[in-house]
Amino acid sequence: MDIKNVTKEYSNGEITVVWQSAKCIHSGNCVRNLSSVFKPQNQPWIQMNNAGTDEIIEAVHKCPSGALSIK
Ligand code: SF4
């Protein structure tokens, strides 16, 4: 598997956030918008239990590249 092109999924039981590494332009918007959830230094880097579902959806929609989506 090419490490530069991975798709990862993170769920809180209500929604699943999908992150596609190939699309991520590392703008850091997600981290600035919701730093309790988006933690690039941590594993997993998206910590779904640290904010409400609404807040997470809002932050995902602000991702400029489409790397983040919800399913
Ligand atoms: S906002 Fe989107 S493009 Fe920017 S760092 Fe986060 S996931 Fe990557």
Side-chain angles (χ1 to χ4, degrees):
M1 181 174 67
D2 183 351
I3 193 74
K4 291 192 176 113
N5 189 6
V6 294
T7 299
K8 296 213 169 177
E9 299 191 355
Y10 307 86
S11 178
N12 65 0
E14 286 184 350
I15 54 165
T16 298
V17 171
V18 181
W19 177 68
Q20 295 171 268
S21 68
K23 288 187 185 171
C24 180
I25 57 173
H26 304 285
S27 66
N29 284 27
C30 51
V31 180
R32 277 193 297 278
N33 285 324
L34 198 55
S35 60
S36 58
V37 169
F38 297 96
K39 294 179 172 287
Q41 310 302 328
N42 289 35
Q43 195 61 250
W45 85 272
I46 300 179
Q47 308 217 335
M48 294 292 287
N49 295 322
N50 289 349
T53 293
D54 290 351
E55 283 179 290
I56 294 173
I57 291 172
E58 204 176 305
V60 164
H61 287 163
K62 287 179 184 159
C63 172
S65 68
L68 290 173
S69 59
I70 305 250
K71 76 170 192 186

